[in-house]
Amino acid sequence: MIKKLINQKGKLDEQLIDTIEPNFVFNNKPINRFNIIEKSNNNDQTNKAELLEKLKKQINSIENCNLKDNSQNLILGDGNINSSIMLIGEAPGAEEDKTSTTFKGEVGELLNKMLLAIEIKRQNIYCCYAINFRPPEDRKPTTQEIRRYSVFLKEHISIIDPKIIILMGSSAMEAVTGINSKISSERGKWKETILKNKSYPLIISYNPSYLMRFPENKKYSWEDLKKIKQKINEMKIVT
């Protein structure tokens, strides 16, 4: 009976979910619930690149790892290493494994549209995964695997030093927050994680590959995207 009361705004949002076009501006300012420690910008691009290369070598030195042994390439991350926005997905797939880059093919195209809907170009942010190697047959990473690679992921976050973190998928959620409940009960809520005495606001949402399999959840993803845009405006982040 509630469906009969849907207003024009509700109908518009529903259309946006299906099309996700990059023509939307959000001006509402949410309440700041976080006491965020200001970060220094001492790490210039060269230093970050060196630290990332060192991290990549550390990850590649892992032994007795089924993920590494069955993958072609290590996928660290790509995009703007000086971005204030860090987007973390679950794990690479076949196309990512071949190219050693993040979010390729149809999944990448959907992610691009999602970001453009809130006026973000993917090349302007930094993207990576909770797991650096493709799981066999694209299965979900185990909790043990997530914990093993979360050590490197947290160092990865500290190097990039973003102002906000977007976690897409349950593996990314578990790796950063330790939460292993259903993502439907955690998505869309601003949380924070503290690494090396720095506080990072983060939000959890669905992974694009999941939305391709279950498109009925795009409406929830759209709500999360709007909250991300509001936070960007609130923090005056340049995208």
Side-chain angles (χ1 to χ4, degrees):
M1 56 184 174
I2 296 176
K3 291 183 179 178
K4 294 182 180 179
L5 300 178
I6 293 176
N7 56 23
Q8 282 300 112
K9 184 180 182 300
K11 292 180 180 179
L12 177 59
D13 275 358
E14 186 176 350
Q15 292 174 0
L16 293 176
I17 299 306
D18 295 328
T19 59
I20 308 186
E21 294 296 337
N23 299 316
F24 315 111
V25 179
F26 305 95
N27 296 316
N28 295 331
K29 303 291 184 179
I31 298 172
N32 186 359
R33 298 180 176 87
F34 303 98
N35 182 18
I36 302 167
I37 299 174
E38 290 295 327
K39 308 175 184 69
S40 65
N41 293 319
N42 294 331
N43 286 341
D44 58 20
Q45 187 167 354
T46 301
N47 190 36
K48 280 189 177 182
E50 291 174 352
L51 291 172
L52 289 171
E53 187 61 30
K54 181 179 178 180
L55 177 64
K56 187 174 183 178
K57 290 179 180 178
Q58 290 176 338
I59 298 171
N60 226 0
S61 67
I62 288 179
E63 297 180 351
N64 301 318
C65 176
N66 185 48
L67 299 180
K68 178 183 176 183
D69 293 342
N70 288 280
S71 298
Q72 297 182 45
N73 289 296
L74 184 159
I75 295 87
L76 187 66
D78 47 47
N80 179 6
I81 63 175
N82 290 316
S83 175
S84 297
I85 303 171
M86 186 173 186
L87 188 151
I88 304 172
E90 298 201 90
E95 292 191 59
E96 291 82 7
D97 189 27
K98 290 178 182 178
T99 60
S100 195
T101 53
T102 66
F103 296 101
K104 303 297 290 183
E106 293 182 358
V107 171
E109 291 175 4
L110 177 56
L111 177 61
N112 290 345
K113 290 180 179 179
M114 292 168 65
L115 293 174
L116 284 172
I118 54 171
E119 301 179 316
I120 295 176
K121 293 181 179 179
R122 179 149 68 103
Q123 63 266 31
N124 292 341
I125 67 171
Y126 187 82
C127 297
C128 69
Y129 293 114
I131 304 294
N132 300 103
F133 297 99
R134 179 194 177 194
E137 299 181 355
D138 297 325
R139 64 165 172 77
K140 179 179 172 57
T142 66
T143 293
Q144 183 180 7
E145 291 166 343
I146 291 171
R147 288 177 179 172
R148 185 175 193 181
Y149 282 88
S150 69
V151 177
F152 302 111
L153 177 60
K154 290 173 181 178
E155 180 63 25
H156 203 164
I157 294 171
S158 293
I159 293 172
I160 298 300
D161 199 22
K163 291 184 178 179
I164 63 172
I165 299 171
I166 303 169
L167 302 178
M168 288 191 161
S170 57
S171 296
M173 174 179 70
E174 185 174 351
V176 177
T177 69
I179 300 171
N180 59 6
S181 59
K182 290 184 177 180
I183 195 169
S184 58
S185 63
E186 302 294 338
R187 53 147 291 274
K189 304 172 185 177
W190 282 103
K191 304 176 186 292
E192 66 177 354
T193 187
I194 299 175
L195 301 172
K196 297 184 178 181
N197 296 319
K198 291 184 179 180
S199 177
Y200 298 93
L202 62 85
I203 192 168
I204 299 161
S205 191
Y206 291 115
N207 203 50
S209 59
Y210 175 85
L211 294 176
M212 290 179 64
R213 298 194 304 273
F214 302 97
E216 63 273 16
N217 287 309
K218 284 184 178 180
K219 58 186 177 182
Y220 302 116
S221 180
W222 175 237
E223 293 301 319
D224 299 342
L225 288 169
K226 289 190 288 186
K227 291 178 182 179
I228 292 168
K229 182 61 178 179
Q230 289 176 337
K231 178 65 73 174
I232 288 171
N233 287 341
E234 174 191 338
M235 299 180 70
K236 299 180 180 179
I237 294 174
V238 178
T239 59

